[in-house]
Amino acid sequence: MDFRVLGPFEVRDADTVVSLGGPRQRAVLARLVIAVGAVVSTDTLIDDLYQGTPPATALASLHVYVSNLRRAIEPGRTPRTPPQLLIARRPGYLLDTSDVDALRFAALVADAEHRPSEQALPRLDEALGLWRGTPYGEFSGELWAVTEVNRLSELRLVAIERRAEALLDLGRPQAVINDLESQTTRHPLRERLWWLLALALYRSGRQADALATLRRVRKLIVQQLGLDPGPELQSLEDDILQQAHSLTAPANRVSPAPTVL
C-alpha cells in the first residue's frame, strides 16, 4: 500500500485507489500517517476527530473506523490474523509503514543536499514530481495537520530553491526563470527566491531585468514590512551594477565529445 499525502489524501494499491470510507474514517488514517509510526492515543484521536466535543459514542465509532480501515488497507489478511499495518498498541493505535510519499520526498531532498549539482538535480526533480497539491488535501486546515502541512510546504520551497541553484551551477539559467517568477508571485516575501531569479536573469544576459527585479522586491518588502531587503539581496544588486566576476556562470561541465579518428 502506498500512502500519498502530497496532495489529496489517498491510498493506492498498485494503480488502484483504495476506498477509505467517509471523512472521519479517512481522518483517522491521515492522523496516523502524520504520526510517522508513533502511537496516537485513542483520547487524542477522538479529540482530533470531534474537535474537543466528542459524543458519547465516540470510542465505539473509532473502533468501527479502525476495523473498516484495516479491511481496506489489508484486503488479503485472513480472519483472526494480527494486522500488519494499523496496529493496536496501548494507549491507542499506530500505522506501521514507511510507504509514504512525504517520507520519500524528504529523503530525496536530504540526499540531494550534499551531492554535486549534476547528481542533486535528478533527485530534486523526482522529489518535486511527487507533489500533487496541498499536503493532506481535505485535512490541511485541521489543527492536527497544520504543523505538518507547513513543514512539508517549507521543505518543498527549499527543494525548489536547491533545484534552481543546481541548474544555475550547471549553466542553465533559462531553465529556472519561469518557475522562479511563478514562485516569487506565490511567496513574495521569500528573499531567496528573488535572489535566485535576479541571478538567473543576469546570467541569461538580462542585466536590466535583473536590476528591475531587485527594485521590485525592495519596494515590496518596504511596503509590506517597513524594512530594507536582507544583505544577500543588497549585495547581489551591488555585484550586478559592478558586473562582478563572482556572478559569472560556472564553466560548462559537459564532457567534450570524443575525437573521431
Side-chain angles (χ1 to χ4, degrees):
M1 291 290 170
D2 185 21
F3 296 81
R4 304 176 68 184
V5 303
L6 299 178
F9 178 65
E10 65 181 26
V11 179
R12 283 184 174 265
D13 183 3
D15 293 329
T16 302
V17 177
V18 176
S19 176
L20 299 175
R24 284 205 173 103
Q25 188 164 293
R26 291 167 55 81
V28 170
L29 189 59
R31 182 64 181 83
L32 292 172
V33 172
I34 280 182
V36 196
V39 175
V40 182
S41 71
T42 54
D43 287 345
T44 297
L45 285 169
I46 289 170
D47 191 53
D48 289 341
L49 282 178
Y50 296 97
Q51 300 179 342
T53 56
T57 58
L59 183 58
S61 295
L62 176 61
H63 290 157
V64 172
Y65 296 152
V66 168
S67 178
N68 291 340
L69 287 168
R70 282 172 170 163
R71 285 195 294 271
I73 64 178
E74 292 188 69
R77 183 168 63 91
T78 55
R80 297 187 179 82
T81 58
Q84 300 298 310
L85 289 177
L86 207 171
I87 299 170
R89 186 168 297 172
R90 293 181 183 272
Y93 298 95
L94 66 85
L95 185 70
D96 187 12
T97 184
S98 59
D99 293 326
V100 182
D101 57 357
L103 297 179
R104 292 195 296 276
F105 168 74
L108 285 164
V109 175
D111 184 43
E113 183 176 4
H114 302 294
R115 291 182 178 272
S117 296
E118 60 270 21
Q119 295 179 13
L121 183 59
R123 288 165 173 78
L124 293 167
D125 281 339
E126 182 180 352
L128 291 167
L130 294 172
W131 280 71
R132 299 171 291 113
T134 303
Y136 286 89
E138 69 209 84
F139 306 117
S140 61
E142 298 289 341
L143 288 177
W144 49 267
V146 166
T147 298
E148 178 66 359
V149 170
N150 289 342
R151 184 189 75 85
L152 290 169
S153 298
E154 170 63 22
L155 190 56
R156 179 175 181 268
L157 284 173
V158 169
I160 288 170
E161 291 166 351
R162 289 180 184 166
R163 179 180 182 273
E165 290 166 4
L167 286 165
L168 287 169
D169 191 39
L170 293 168
R172 298 169 57 190
Q174 294 280 4
V176 302
I177 291 174
N178 287 342
D179 188 34
L180 288 173
E181 287 178 335
S182 172
Q183 294 301 328
T184 53
T185 299
R186 295 176 187 173
H187 309 281
L189 297 179
R190 194 172 181 94
E191 294 190 19
R192 186 62 177 172
L193 291 171
W194 289 99
W195 189 94
L196 289 163
L197 175 58
L199 181 59
L201 289 166
Y202 180 81
R203 288 188 178 175
S204 299
R206 297 168 58 182
Q207 179 176 337
D209 289 338
L211 290 170
T213 293
L214 292 170
R215 286 194 295 269
R216 188 163 77 250
V217 66
R218 175 186 292 276
K219 180 178 179 181
L220 187 151
I221 291 173
V222 168
Q223 288 178 339
Q224 296 200 20
L225 301 179
L227 300 171
D228 289 328
E232 282 194 338
L233 284 177
Q234 296 186 48
S235 177
L236 178 60
E237 185 172 13
D238 292 340
D239 287 345
I240 290 175
L241 287 169
Q242 298 170 21
Q243 298 186 342
H245 180 70
S246 60
L247 299 183
T248 305
N252 195 326
R253 299 187 181 194
V254 178
S255 301
T259 302
V260 179
L261 300 177

